[in-house]
Amino acid sequence: MVGTPSSSGGRPLRVGLTGGIGSGKTAVADLLEAQGAAVIDTDSIAHALTAPGGLAIEPLRREFGPDMIGADGAMDRPRMRALVFSDARAKARLEALIHPLIGQEVEREAAARQGLYQVFVVPLLVESGRWRDRVDRICVVDCDEATQVLRVRRRSGLAPEMVARIMAAQATRAQRLAVADDVIVNDGQTTPAQLAARTLDRHRAWLDLSALPV
């Protein structure tokens, strides 16, 4: 677990927000942003980098060929997903290409964004091993696996076997909880009002750690 920060460090409290696919990280991040947190979402950054005209498009074209770029000029996400979940070497090549670009943009946004504290939304925070010394707290949005599968299929229409592959490539629920300083439960029984209340509790606790008034 990550230690409690000092309020005299000259920078805002940094919270790493993570959770498995379909756990509800985005919903929690949106609630925190509405309370005044500065949210830096690595998934959103990755999408921007691989959108038409994004900084990763030409490097992707050179590394993987023109078939990985769709007619709209964006990375062909379904094709790339199918490749990297069937070929570990392709996955490593993709990560070596895009992770440095994401890191640069994260640092740029972190320097520019103002808020009561900073929230870094990192789906693979536990898996990467690179984030634990970059944040003061790790917060896990916790959800049972059956609910994850149901949410992902409803949201994206992915086949069950693809959802299973994605989840198998992520840390287990137990591994995430083992490194958590804070947990926000968002399981199948959680209502939107309950999620909002649990998120607000964490927000208040982080303000206390930051020595800021509620």
Side-chain angles (χ1 to χ4, degrees):
M1 293 187 185
V2 179
T4 301
S6 166
S7 60
S8 61
R11 63 165 176 80
L13 177 76
R14 291 185 167 189
V15 176
L17 184 68
T18 194
I21 187 172
S23 61
K25 297 180 296 296
T26 299
V28 170
D30 288 347
L31 289 165
L32 292 170
E33 191 166 42
Q35 294 295 325
V39 173
I40 297 103
D41 189 327
T42 59
D43 248 5
S44 295
I45 290 171
H47 275 78
L49 289 169
T50 56
L55 291 177
I57 292 300
E58 288 310 312
L60 285 166
R61 194 190 307 275
R62 291 192 297 270
E63 181 68 24
F64 292 97
D67 288 348
M68 282 300 174
I69 307 302
D72 62 351
M75 183 181 75
D76 188 328
R77 298 185 72 82
R79 186 185 289 266
M80 183 64 79
R81 185 186 299 117
L83 174 64
V84 299
F85 282 107
S86 63
D87 185 339
R89 287 177 297 180
K91 182 173 183 287
R93 287 161 55 207
L94 177 64
E95 290 174 347
L97 185 155
I98 203 163
H99 282 179
L101 296 175
I102 293 173
Q104 292 168 17
E105 185 61 18
V106 164
E107 291 304 316
R108 188 193 70 78
E109 289 196 20
R113 299 288 300 278
Q114 300 295 314
L116 298 175
Y117 51 87
Q118 292 181 326
V119 176
F120 297 84
V121 186
V122 188
L124 300 181
L125 184 150
V126 176
E127 296 87 336
S128 75
R130 293 187 297 272
W131 277 91
R132 298 189 192 192
D133 60 352
R134 299 183 185 181
V135 296
D136 303 305
R137 309 282 295 180
I138 293 175
C139 179
V140 170
V141 182
D142 184 45
C143 177
D144 58 281
E145 292 184 358
T147 299
Q148 285 181 257
V149 173
L150 182 62
R151 287 175 180 163
V152 174
R153 294 200 63 199
R154 283 178 175 173
R155 179 182 71 198
S156 63
L158 290 176
E161 56 270 22
M162 181 55 70
V163 179
R165 284 185 183 182
I166 294 171
M167 291 176 64
Q170 296 185 339
T172 66
R173 185 181 185 186
Q175 287 170 331
R176 284 190 292 268
L177 291 174
V179 301
D181 297 290
D182 305 288
V183 176
I184 297 174
V185 175
N186 187 31
D187 58 16
Q189 288 71 52
T190 301
T191 67
Q194 287 172 327
L195 181 63
R198 292 166 186 169
T199 302
L200 183 59
D201 283 345
R202 289 298 90 215
H203 167 71
R204 288 170 171 158
W206 294 331
L207 287 186
D208 286 344
L209 285 175
S210 302
L212 293 172
V214 177

